[in-house]
Structures are given as structure tokens and as C-alpha cells.
């Protein structure tokens, strides 16, 4: 029950609760690897890297060479900015445990980040063949096409992602942005409308709707959307960036200064 509650907390993004439950699990049942796996992951999520490393080292001493240790070490290296180490660990993970998706996820994302596009494509292709029903290879392929500037391919992949996994916000967020960059503003609006209905608590559909209104030269609508965005999510810079630009376009200089 403790392990199950900890996994649920991880899936909810409640890393503090997950960390507390994982610590309790390590104390009550030190032979259960979940206490270490969840503990290291939640420590990483909380940016407590020393804590995550300490838990991982204790797990190595207890469980030897389980593949999840490699995976977690790769995630930690990535989050610490040691990309070369993360790539090396991800490659080892793909070799030692080709059924663990983390080796492909980390490897493809970092190869793409370093603009090693051919290597990233090879990893994504391998992942697509090995995990044909998973949605994340589609998402990674879409990011890869976007970073390469191939927006037509990205749009098709994102449409496929929305069909396969309508619960993944990336298909809508990046899909709307891609359609907008291609000048397909009506299509972008449709995607944003679907996203607003599917993710009612998210604020990024407001930001994307503001971009669309701006590109449509509907500055009054863009200004209203930005005002709502600044109210609902004052940490999102788009509400200020587009808000100031549209206020200036509308001749509301004092409002733009604010």
C-alpha cells in the first residue's frame, strides 16, 4: 500500500508526498526496490540531486545492476547538465535492457538537444519499432521534425499523436503552434478549442489563442486574452509580451508601459 500510494503521488506530480512515502517504505521494507526508485526520482523532481544520488548509491549496494538504476542515473545526469554522461548511460541502458524505454527517451531527447539529428532519428526509429503502441516515440519524432524545421512532417506527427493519445497535451500545444507557424490559423484555432475543452485548468491554450489572435491582426481579442492570461497565470511571460505589443498597436501607450 505504501509503494502504491508513492507511485500515485509521482504520477500526480506531488514529489514531496512521494519522497516522504518512499522514505517510509525504505525504512519499513528495505528489500523493496520501489522505495529507492521512487525516492531517487522524487528527489530529482525536487531538484535535490545530492539526496537522489545518495539514495541511488544505497540502491546500487543493495540491488547491484538492475536496469532501473542505470535509467535513474541517466535522468539525474541529464538534470545536472552532464549531457555526455547522460548519453553514455542511456546508450548502456539500450544495450543492457532494450525493453526499458528510458534509454530511448533520454538518448533521443539529448541527441536532438545537441543537434545530432541523425542519431536522434535512429533512436526514435528503434523506439517506434520496439514500442509500437506507445505515444512518446511519436512525440519525440514531432519534436525532432520541429527542431529540423520540417513543420509539415511535425504537423502530421502531432495529428497522429492527438489521435493515439488525446490525453497528451503536447499534441495540442505543439500542434497548435505548428499549424500557426504554417499559416493555418483556422486549424490552429480548432486545436486550441479542443485543448481548452480537454484541459480546462491549463493556461497554455490561452497563450496560444493570444498568438493566433495576434497573427490574425485581431488585436482587441489578443489584448483580452492576454489580460486573462496575466490574471490566471502571472508567471507566463506571453501575457506580458503579447499584451504590451497589442496595447502598443492599439495606441494604448500608457497601458503598454504598465
Amino acid at each position: 500500500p505504501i509503494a502504491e500510494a508513492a507511485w500515485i503521488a509521482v504520477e500526480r506530480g506531488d514529489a514531496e508526498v512521494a519522497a516522504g512515502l518512499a522514505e517510509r517504505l525504505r525504512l519499513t521494507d528495505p528489500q523493496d526496490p520501489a522505495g529507492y526508485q521512487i525516492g531517487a526520482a522524487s528527489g530529482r523532481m525536487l531538484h535535490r540531486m545530492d539526496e537522489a544520488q545518495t539514495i541511488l548509491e544505497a540502491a546500487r549496494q543493495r540491488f547491484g545492476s538492475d536496469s532501473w538504476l542505470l535509467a535513474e542515473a541517466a535522468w539525474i545526469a541529464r538534470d545536472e547538465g552532464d549531457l555526455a554522461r547522460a548519453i553514455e548511460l542511456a546508450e548502456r541502458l539500450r544495450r543492457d535492457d532494450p525493453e526499458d524505454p528510458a534509454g530511448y527517451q533520454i538518448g533521443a531527447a539529448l541527441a536532438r538537444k545537441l543537434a545530432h539529428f541523425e542519431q536522434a532519428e535512429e533512436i526514435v526509429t528503434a523506439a517506434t519499432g520496439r514500442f509500437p503502441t506507445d505515444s512518446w516515440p511519436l512525440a519525440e519524432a514531432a519534436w525532432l521534425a520541429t527542431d529540423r524545421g520540417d513543420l509539415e512532417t511535425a504537423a502530421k506527427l502531432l495529428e497522429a499523436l492527438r489521435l493515439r493519445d488525446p490525453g497528451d497535451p503536447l499534441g495540442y500545444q505543439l500542434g497548435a503552434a505548428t499549424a500557426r507557424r504554417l499559416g493555418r490559423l483556422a486549424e490552429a484555432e480548432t486545436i486550441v478549442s479542443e485543448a481548452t475543452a480537454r484541459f480546462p485548468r491549463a493556461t497554455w491554450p490561452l497563450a496560444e489563442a493570444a498568438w493566433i489572435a495576434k497573427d490574425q491582426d485581431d488585436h482587441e481579442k489578443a489584448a483580452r486574452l492576454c489580460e486573462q492570461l496575466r490574471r490566471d497565470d502571472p508567471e507566463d511571460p506571453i501575457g506580458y509580451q503579447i499584451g504590451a505589443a497589442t496595447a502598443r498597436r492599439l495606441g494604448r501607450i500608457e497601458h503598454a508601459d504598465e
Side-chain angles (χ1 to χ4, degrees), residues 110-150:
L110 292 185
R112 174 172 54 81
K113 184 173 183 179
L114 294 170
H116 300 161
F117 295 139
E118 290 185 5
Q119 181 184 4
E121 186 173 12
E122 288 176 5
I123 298 171
V124 169
T125 300
T128 302
R130 192 168 290 275
F131 310 102
T133 61
D134 286 5
S135 61
W136 63 263
L138 266 177
E140 186 54 46
W143 277 121
L144 180 57
T146 301
D147 287 359
R148 279 177 155 172
D150 187 352

Side-chain angles (χ1 to χ4, degrees), residues 13-126:
D14 195 341
E16 283 286 1
V17 170
L21 288 167
E23 182 178 12
R24 183 177 162 196
L25 183 58
R26 292 194 300 276
L27 291 171
T28 56
D29 187 1
Q31 297 304 319
D32 189 336
Y36 302 85
Q37 189 171 5
I38 298 169
S42 57
R44 175 170 52 80
M45 291 164 64
L46 292 165
H47 306 290
R48 301 199 290 241
M49 296 305 177
D50 289 344
E51 177 183 323
Q53 289 281 20
T54 298
I55 295 170
L56 200 59
E57 184 55 37
R60 282 196 193 98
Q61 294 175 12
R62 192 172 291 276
F63 304 108
S65 58
D66 285 4
S67 64
W68 69 264
L69 292 165
L70 264 181
E72 190 53 46
W75 286 119
I76 290 172
R78 184 206 64 170
D79 290 357
E80 287 182 329
D82 190 348
L83 303 190
R85 173 71 172 158
I87 289 171
E88 176 191 348
L89 290 166
E91 187 176 355
R92 276 181 56 194
L93 182 57
R94 293 195 301 276
R95 184 178 63 248
D96 294 353
D97 187 1
E99 297 303 320
D100 190 326
Y104 303 86
Q105 290 172 314
I106 299 169
L110 292 185
R112 174 172 54 81
K113 184 173 183 179
L114 294 170
H116 300 161
F117 295 139
E118 290 185 5
Q119 181 184 4
E121 186 173 12
E122 288 176 5
I123 298 171
V124 169
T125 300

Side-chain angles (χ1 to χ4, degrees), residues 175-180 184-193 208 212:
T178 301
R180 175 171 54 80
R184 303 171 186 166
L185 299 184
E187 178 183 335
E189 280 189 308
T190 298
I191 297 171
V192 168
S193 295
E208 189 53 45
I212 293 168

